[in-house]
């Protein structure tokens, strides 16, 4: 019975994110949650007892975002892993647990992803104008989440 509840919770989380992603297409002011998912990914990858279920959930959410927007699958996952391994661990360790670092990472993830998409699609990304708003909204959401965990 415990395993059944565990799987239904994961299915409910996945469907919830999928529905949110579809709602985001109807209401352009809603962010796609890429920055929040990256902050969550960083938090999980910093823990010694990495919870692989949550990592898989994050990757599922990233694939949903890409599939809904008809973008190449796996670009966000690759971006998360490379950005975390190269930028976060090597260049920005001074912002490890600093709120300014979280804001910088969320903004950088959006900026890099939009540049990659504009390069792959060979056109400008129309969502680039939402970059600052999405970053600020998700940063505030992430700080609320962090404060609720303490």
């Amino acid at each position: 019975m415990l395993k059944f509840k565990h799987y239904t919770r994961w299915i409910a989380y996945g469907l919830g994110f999928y529905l949110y992603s579809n709602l985001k297409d109807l209401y352009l002011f809603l962010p796609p949650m890429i920055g929040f998912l990256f902050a969550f990914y960083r938090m999980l990858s910093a823990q010694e007892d990495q919870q692989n279920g949550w990592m898989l959930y994050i990757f599922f959410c990233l694939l949903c975002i890409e599939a809904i927007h008809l973008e190449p699958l796996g670009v966000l996952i690759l971006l998360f892993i490379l950005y975390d391994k190269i930028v976060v661990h090597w260049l920005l360790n001074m912002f490890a647990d600093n709120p300014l670092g979280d804001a910088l990472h969320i903004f950088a993830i959006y900026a890099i992803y939009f540049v990659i998409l504009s390069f792959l699609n060979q056109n400008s990304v129309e969502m680039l104008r939402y970059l600052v708003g999405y970053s600020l909204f998700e940063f505030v959401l992430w700080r609320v989440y962090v404060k609720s965990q303490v």
Side-chain angles (χ1 to χ4, degrees):
M1 185 68 163
L2 182 63
K3 290 228 180 228
F4 180 72
K5 285 183 180 181
H6 180 70
Y7 290 124
T8 55
R9 181 175 45 145
W10 285 107
I11 291 170
Y13 288 160
L15 288 175
F17 187 81
Y18 182 77
L19 291 174
Y20 173 83
S21 295
N22 284 319
L23 271 177
K24 186 253 168 270
D25 285 342
L26 292 174
Y27 304 106
L28 292 179
F29 63 89
L30 292 173
M33 303 304 283
I34 295 169
F36 183 86
L37 288 172
F38 180 73
F40 194 47
Y41 172 81
R42 272 193 50 229
M43 183 187 78
L44 289 175
S45 65
Q47 295 175 350
E48 289 83 27
D49 60 336
Q50 292 183 359
Q51 300 174 359
N52 291 332
W54 282 110
M55 288 288 199
L56 291 175
Y57 174 72
I58 291 170
F59 291 160
F60 170 77
C61 291
L62 295 175
L63 289 174
C64 282
I65 290 170
E66 292 173 331
I68 289 170
H69 296 110
L70 301 174
E71 299 297 341
L73 294 179
V75 172
L76 275 173
I77 294 172
L78 187 62
L79 173 64
F80 273 33
I81 293 170
L82 291 177
Y83 185 84
D84 184 47
K85 298 301 180 205
I86 295 170
V87 176
V88 173
H89 288 297
W90 286 39
L91 300 175
L92 298 175
N93 276 334
M94 64 182 156
F95 292 120
D97 292 324
N98 188 339
L100 180 61
D102 289 339
L104 179 67
H105 292 312
I106 289 172
F107 180 80
I109 283 292
Y110 271 111
I112 293 170
Y113 183 58
F114 289 153
V115 167
I116 290 171
L117 287 183
S118 66
F119 180 72
L120 289 175
N121 295 332
Q122 297 174 348
N123 60 6
S124 62
V125 177
E126 63 203 34
M127 288 178 49
L128 195 57
R129 63 182 176 200
Y130 296 111
L131 178 69
V132 174
Y134 285 175
S135 299
L136 286 175
F137 181 81
E138 289 190 32
F139 171 69
V140 169
L141 186 64
W142 176 250
R143 292 311 302 168
V144 168
Y145 174 77
V146 167
K147 294 294 182 187
S148 72
Q149 294 298 315
V150 174

